[in-house]
């Protein structure tokens, strides 16, 4: 019989009023910031495949963020519809500005991942600037530090490998960093029940447990591959091998099917990577539409909105395990982990740690499947690093 891992708590019902209070609350800590920090210039930078946003205030204070690669398609939204609203505004009013820009130029009509990817890039650069002004780490802008490290799981995005090939890939990644947890893809990705190759998913699930043994923590990601009936069938197979959680089995916009699968399964269901609506996140929590909430910091508009999602989930005893949309995103997840009580035990590790460390003041060390959370000021990006100094300015608003 399937046993839920002890990491997960029993769901606790929560009222809509309590969730509304969380959504309306202010989460930034502005202690010590007694003087205005007026935003003067916002730039979109590009260098060696990386897109970054640099925000500058009067007096020379600067904040920098690294975006996801979706912004290469969406950046006119940033430069034409979002950044102009922030020029001349006090960065200390960031939470109110996030509300105001939503209705500026009817930006609510642009709502979705393209809009919120742009907003997150700007928000994170402003948070970096505010943290520098306070001389604290990025996480301390949103809560006291309660965690100094996190466990990681290694993942594979492959669907065209055979089960045997996939296990060898995962084994090499486990060996490289000592991870105690893995995640792999099942289904054909938004495929209406088609597998990526005949029989692959079921064979992979059963082989994984035999290959790695009983102690390995196993996550499986459906990426919206299934209808309710098929999702439940694969969920039962995952329960057979005592998997840790089952991610996004149904299409991301089908909340009813997702909840139906969650209701029918014992294994925790993880969901939310594509979600950008705070109202729908609220619905997922209030209606127990999933067990593990998975906002993507860079898709969901930044750390402030993601913190509120985490707090709504905490009110219902739900776990938060953010989705990672790009390599550098795991740095922001580390900062979220530093102050979030209900953060998941395992966070996804993307490739590129060596390059990221070269870019940061504080070094991140991954050993035996555990990664430290940096405590450098702000996010710790070196402003004089060649990636910044030699970057092309794709656009600027001032």
């Amino acid at each position: 019989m399937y046993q839920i891992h002890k990491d997960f708590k029993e769901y606790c019902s929560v009222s809509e009023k309590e969730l509304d209070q969380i959504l309306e609350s202010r989460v930034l800590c502005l202690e010590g910031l007694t003087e205005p920090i007026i935003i003067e210039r916002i730039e979109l930078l590009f260098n060696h495949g990386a897109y970054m946003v640099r925000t500058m205030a009067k007096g020379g204070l600067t904040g920098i963020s690294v975006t996801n690669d979706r912004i290469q398609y969406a950046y006119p939204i940033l430069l034409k519809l979002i950044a102009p609203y922030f020029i001349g505004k006090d960065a200390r009013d960031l939470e109110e500005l996030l509300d105001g820009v939503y209705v500026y130029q009817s930006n609510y009509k642009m709502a979705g991942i393209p809009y919120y990817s742009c907003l997150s890039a700007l928000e994170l650069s402003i948070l970096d600037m505010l943290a520098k002004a306070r001389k604290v780490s990025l996480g301390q802008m949103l809560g006291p530090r309660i965690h100094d490290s996190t466990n990681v799981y290694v993942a594979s995005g492959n669907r065209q490998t055979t089960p045997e090939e996939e296990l060898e890939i995962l084994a090499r990644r486990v060996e490289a960093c000592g991870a105690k947890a893995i995640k792999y893809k099942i289904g054909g990705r938004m495929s209406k029940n088609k597998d990526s190759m005949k029989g692959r998913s079921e064979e992979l699930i059963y082989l994984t447990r035999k290959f790695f043994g009983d102690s390995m923590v196993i996550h499986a990601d459906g990426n919206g591959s299934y209808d309710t009936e098929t999702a439940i069938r694969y969920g039962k197979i995952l329960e057979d091998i005592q998997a840790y959680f089952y991610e996004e089995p149904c299409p991301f916009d089908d909340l009813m099917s997702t909840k139906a699968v969650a209701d029918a399964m014992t294994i925790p269901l993880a969901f939310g990577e594509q979600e950008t609506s705070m109202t729908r996140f609220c619905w997922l929590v209030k209606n127990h539409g999933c067990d593990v909430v998975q906002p993507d910091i860079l898709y969901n508009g930044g750390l402030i909105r993601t913190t509120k999602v985490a707090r709504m989930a905490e009110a219902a005893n739900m776990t938060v395990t953010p989705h990672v949309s790009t390599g550098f995103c795991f740095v922001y997840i580390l900062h979220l982990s530093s102050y979030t009580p209900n953060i998941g035990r395992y966070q996804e590790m993307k490739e590129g740690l060596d390059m990221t460390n070269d870019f940061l003041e504080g070094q991140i060390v991954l050993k035996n499947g555990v990664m430290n959370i940096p405590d450098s000021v702000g996010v710790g990006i070196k402003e004089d690093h060649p990636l910044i100094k030699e970057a092309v300015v794709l656009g600027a608003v001032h």
Side-chain angles (χ1 to χ4, degrees):
M1 179 179 292
Y2 182 77
Q3 296 291 322
I4 296 177
H5 196 281
K6 61 181 181 348
D7 289 345
F8 302 104
K9 297 179 180 179
E10 185 177 354
Y11 175 81
C12 174
S13 62
V14 57
S15 70
E16 189 169 339
K17 180 179 179 180
E18 185 176 356
L19 295 176
D20 285 344
Q21 288 174 342
I22 293 170
L23 289 175
E24 294 300 320
S25 66
R26 292 292 181 246
V27 299
L28 276 184
C29 179
L30 300 171
E31 182 180 352
L33 299 182
T34 57
E35 299 296 326
I37 301 173
I38 303 302
I39 297 170
E40 193 170 50
R41 183 179 175 90
I42 296 166
E43 298 174 334
L44 176 64
L45 310 177
F46 176 78
N47 195 1
H48 284 84
Y51 292 84
M52 298 154 286
V53 169
R54 177 164 57 194
T55 299
M56 291 168 275
K58 291 182 179 179
L61 196 61
T62 300
I64 299 172
S65 69
V66 180
T67 78
N68 62 47
D69 59 6
R70 304 292 182 189
I71 206 166
Q72 66 184 297
Y73 312 111
Y75 70 84
I77 297 174
L78 170 67
L79 297 176
K80 295 181 179 181
L81 298 177
I82 295 176
Y85 179 80
F86 285 79
I87 299 300
K89 304 290 200 312
D90 188 341
R92 298 177 303 168
D93 297 330
L94 178 57
E95 292 185 83
E96 290 80 8
L97 296 176
L98 295 178
D99 292 337
V101 75
Y102 187 62
V103 296
Y104 172 73
Q105 301 283 32
S106 298
N107 281 336
Y108 58 85
K109 295 185 178 182
M110 307 294 291
I113 285 177
Y115 172 80
Y116 283 110
S117 291
C118 293
L119 188 65
S120 70
L122 180 54
E123 184 242 43
L124 289 164
S125 72
I126 295 173
L127 283 177
D128 183 45
M129 184 169 66
L130 291 170
K132 289 173 182 174
R134 288 189 61 215
K135 296 181 172 56
V136 299
S137 72
L138 190 70
Q140 287 175 284
M141 290 300 302
L142 294 134
R145 190 179 180 95
I146 58 175
H147 298 128
D148 293 316
S149 64
T150 188
N151 302 290
V152 303
Y153 66 82
V154 293
S156 168
N158 301 313
R159 280 193 161 86
Q160 301 307 318
T161 52
T162 66
E164 293 79 9
E165 290 169 339
E166 187 68 3
L167 293 175
E168 291 297 334
I169 291 168
L170 288 167
R172 288 194 294 270
R173 294 183 181 180
V174 166
E175 183 178 6
C177 68
K180 308 299 190 296
I182 60 172
K183 186 173 82 175
Y184 49 76
K185 304 288 190 179
I186 61 173
R189 183 185 288 274
M190 297 289 287
S191 60
K192 296 183 178 180
N193 299 327
K194 295 177 183 177
D195 213 341
S196 58
M197 58 181 69
K198 188 175 181 180
R200 177 185 184 273
S201 295
E202 183 170 343
E203 184 180 354
L204 176 59
I205 293 169
Y206 281 121
L207 277 179
T208 307
R209 180 58 75 202
K210 293 177 183 177
F211 185 92
F212 285 104
D214 292 340
S215 62
M216 180 60 74
V217 170
I218 298 172
H219 310 68
D221 184 359
N223 283 125
S225 294
Y226 308 126
D227 61 19
T228 303
E229 181 181 357
T230 309
I232 292 170
R233 181 167 70 83
Y234 279 103
K236 295 294 184 184
I237 297 171
L238 288 165
E239 289 184 349
D240 285 346
I241 69 158
Q242 295 291 315
Y244 190 71
F245 74 49
Y246 182 21
E247 181 176 338
E248 199 182 51
C250 300
F252 66 89
D253 56 351
D254 190 348
L255 300 187
M256 296 300 108
S257 291
T258 299
K259 176 172 169 51
V261 176
D263 289 345
M265 305 299 304
T266 305
I267 186 172
L269 190 146
F271 187 77
E273 70 177 66
Q274 303 273 9
E275 190 53 75
T276 60
S277 165
M278 299 299 278
T279 301
R280 288 193 293 268
F281 272 123
C282 182
W283 186 94
L284 285 167
V285 172
K286 182 177 182 296
N287 293 282
H288 196 187
C290 61
D291 303 285
V292 180
V293 186
Q294 292 190 291
D296 185 304
I297 294 167
L298 300 184
Y299 286 169
N300 185 44
L303 273 171
I304 290 171
R305 286 166 56 89
T306 302
T307 297
K308 291 183 179 182
V309 172
R311 291 184 179 179
M312 287 195 293
E314 183 187 6
N317 274 348
M318 297 168 73
T319 299
V320 174
T321 301
H323 175 257
V324 184
S325 58
T326 193
F328 196 86
C329 184
F330 78 81
V331 177
Y332 296 119
I333 291 175
L334 288 176
H335 285 283
L336 176 73
S337 300
S338 73
Y339 62 85
T340 301
N342 57 324
I343 198 74
R345 182 176 294 274
Y346 301 96
Q347 302 301 325
E348 181 175 353
M349 178 61 214
K350 290 286 190 182
E351 296 180 359
L353 180 58
D354 289 343
M355 184 178 71
T356 299
N357 268 333
D358 182 59
F359 193 38
L360 294 178
E361 297 285 355
Q363 292 295 290
I364 301 171
V365 177
L366 174 57
K367 185 177 181 181
N368 296 327
V370 180
M371 180 179 288
N372 67 295
I373 299 173
D375 59 0
S376 50
V377 172
V379 75
I381 294 172
K382 299 174 184 176
E383 294 185 30
D384 60 351
H385 192 279
L387 196 66
I388 300 293
K389 290 179 66 176
E390 299 170 9
V392 175
V393 179
L394 296 178
V397 179
H398 50 87

